[in-house]
Amino acid sequence: MFGYRVPAPDEAMLISGGRRGLGGAPFRVVTGHGKFVLPILRKTRFLTLAMCEAEVAETCVTRQGIVLTVKAVIAFKVGNDTESIVNAGQRFLSDQDQMSVLTGRIFAGHLRSIIGSMTVEEIVTERQKLATEVLETSKTEMAKIGLIVDSLQIQSIDDGETGYIAAMSAPHTAAIQRQAQIAQAQATQASVEAQQEATRNQAEYARQTAVVQAQYSAEVDRAQAQAAQAGPLAQAHAQQEVLAAQTELAERAAQLRQQQLVAEIVKPAEADAERIRVLAVAEAERMKIQAAAAASYDRVALDRMLIDQLPQIVKEAASGLAGANVNVLNGADGLGEIAAGLVGQGLTILDSVRKNLGGDTEGHQGGRGAEIQRYLGTHRAAGEGDNGPIDVK
């Protein structure tokens, strides 16, 4: 709209002409909103409220007489209140760049004054104290010209060629260097230890790997050896089983042979021994009877004893033949004829003895005894029957 003016956010609009401003100022101050300004009758100017800076590089002398070159930066601006805007507008509205020049000069003077009351050590070690004192001493003067200081930073302090600051810092530098060397040595030692630990770890890993590989190789070799031995072992087991079977067969053949030998040799020998024993018993009995008869001179008693013992003698002879190995020439009929002949011979002997005992005892005793003896001796020695010869084995 024609005649309506609006200042920027970081500006103050100063309107001159017409009514006077606050406190008799020659202009009115407008910030943060617009204002209708009559053309020709009113004049509008703008004062910056933005942040400005001023640099200071001043040669100062300390309380010890040491010359120092101090560089500082000041950040300042026009105050936001109307009074500060009026004061700054009256002084800098036509040449606003002069605010930085004037601010630098004001701070240079206060900086020389404060540094003159401090030592180099205080200035170097207490820069913030120096900046605070400079701000406090310059605050009143800055307020008079409508400016406020946001910050003051001491950028550098240089003693030129005197070397005072360097000498002052030498012990600290040496200590720092010594600490740096110690730290470097510790770092080097830690690095060496770390490398040695890494080398040991690598060696241990290599050892474990070699052990595992050796174990694996041993297992493979063992498996291969077992596989290679499987065939011979199976063959050996098979041969062992064959040998066991052959041994068992041989043991069974030996048992069978033993049984055959018992049947062919032992049993016949036992039967023959039994036959001989029976004959020996019969002979012993005969001798016993004869001895008894001779001792008593009683031939009749001897005859009667022979008659009484004759059945027992025949029975013993028959039982002895029962266990003997007898070869019969004409089979089963021959065996029956042998048994019938033995019985018949026994009965004939018994009847003959009884008949002879019924006759004349005194006249025929010698003849009956001789006949009995002859009969028994003939049949015992020949082993014959009525039906043919008997082969006793």
Side-chain angles (χ1 to χ4, degrees):
M1 182 182 291
F2 181 73
Y4 191 80
R5 306 295 296 275
V6 179
D10 59 347
E11 289 181 340
M13 186 172 61
L14 307 180
I15 304 174
S16 60
R19 293 184 306 176
R20 300 183 66 86
L22 181 63
F27 47 81
R28 289 179 292 168
V29 178
V30 178
T31 58
H33 59 87
K35 189 74 173 178
F36 184 77
V37 180
L38 293 175
I40 301 174
L41 299 177
R42 305 285 189 270
K43 189 174 181 179
T44 303
R45 303 286 296 275
F46 295 94
L47 178 66
T48 181
L49 302 178
M51 181 66 65
C52 301
E53 70 174 30
E55 294 184 357
V56 176
E58 191 68 23
T59 300
C60 307
V61 180
T62 66
R63 189 176 62 188
Q64 301 161 312
I66 305 300
V67 179
L68 299 177
T69 299
V70 180
K71 293 182 179 180
V73 176
I74 303 99
F76 67 94
K77 67 183 289 295
V78 177
N80 293 328
D81 59 289
T82 304
E83 182 179 1
S84 296
I85 293 173
V86 170
N87 292 334
Q90 289 177 340
R91 290 171 177 80
F92 306 111
L93 186 59
S94 59
D95 189 4
Q96 298 186 26
D97 292 338
Q98 287 297 317
M99 288 190 294
S100 298
V101 176
L102 182 60
T103 298
R105 289 176 181 175
I106 292 173
F107 272 88
H110 288 289
L111 194 61
R112 285 196 302 271
S113 175
I114 293 173
I115 287 176
S117 63
M118 298 177 67
T119 63
V120 177
E121 289 79 4
E122 293 175 344
I123 295 170
V124 172
T125 58
E126 301 179 5
R127 291 189 181 189
Q128 186 60 38
K129 177 182 177 181
L130 172 62
T132 301
E133 290 184 2
V134 172
L135 285 175
E136 289 296 328
T137 55
S138 62
K139 183 182 296 183
T140 303
E141 294 183 16
M142 294 293 288
K144 289 180 181 180
I145 59 177
L147 302 178
I148 57 175
V149 179
D150 287 340
S151 66
L152 171 65
Q153 297 293 330
I154 305 298
Q155 289 184 324
S156 65
I157 299 173
D158 185 13
D159 60 354
E161 297 180 356
T162 59
Y164 187 89
I165 296 176
M168 184 180 64
S169 62
H172 300 286
T173 302
I176 292 173
Q177 290 178 352
R178 184 171 61 255
Q179 292 177 357
Q181 291 175 355
I182 294 173
Q184 182 65 33
Q186 292 176 350
T188 303
Q189 182 179 0
S191 177
V192 172
E193 291 177 354
Q195 290 178 355
Q196 292 176 351
E197 182 67 20
T199 303
R200 286 194 296 269
N201 292 336
Q202 291 177 356
E204 179 64 20
Y205 178 76
R207 186 187 67 80
Q208 293 178 357
T209 302
V211 170
V212 172
Q213 289 178 350
Q215 292 176 350
Y216 176 76
S217 179
E219 291 179 358
V220 172
D221 293 341
R222 185 163 53 254
Q224 291 178 351
Q226 291 177 353
Q229 294 175 356
L233 286 176
Q235 186 176 1
H237 286 306
Q239 291 178 354
Q240 185 176 3
E241 292 178 357
V242 171
L243 291 176
Q246 291 177 350
T247 303
E248 183 178 0
L249 181 60
E251 291 177 353
R252 292 183 179 179
Q255 293 176 358
L256 181 59
R257 180 58 181 164
Q258 183 178 5
Q259 294 175 359
Q260 291 176 353
L261 291 175
V262 169
E264 293 176 357
I265 298 175
V266 176
K267 291 298 182 180
E270 290 178 352
D272 190 51
E274 182 64 20
R275 182 182 63 79
I276 295 172
R277 185 188 69 79
V278 170
L279 294 176
V281 170
E283 181 66 20
E285 288 295 330
R286 186 183 66 80
M287 295 298 292
K288 182 178 180 181
I289 292 170
Q290 288 179 355
S296 63
Y297 299 100
D298 188 357
R299 306 305 299 177
V300 176
L302 177 60
D303 292 340
R304 291 188 179 274
M305 288 178 65
L306 288 173
I307 292 170
D308 293 336
Q309 293 296 326
L310 184 57
Q312 182 66 29
I313 293 171
V314 173
K315 181 179 178 182
E316 291 293 335
S319 63
L321 293 174
N325 189 5
V326 180
N327 291 331
V328 182
L329 300 179
N330 54 351
D333 295 335
L335 183 60
E337 291 174 356
I338 292 172
L342 289 174
V343 175
Q345 289 176 6
L347 293 177
T348 302
I349 295 169
L350 182 59
D351 291 340
S352 177
V353 171
R354 285 178 180 177
K355 288 178 182 181
N356 292 327
L357 288 177
D360 188 3
T361 305
E362 295 180 358
H364 300 285
Q365 270 187 342
R368 287 195 301 271
E371 183 182 356
I372 293 171
Q373 293 292 337
R374 195 167 48 250
Y375 182 83
L376 290 175
T378 302
H379 288 279
R380 182 170 61 250
E384 295 177 354
D386 294 339
N387 295 312
I390 301 173
D391 185 10
V392 181
K393 294 183 179 179

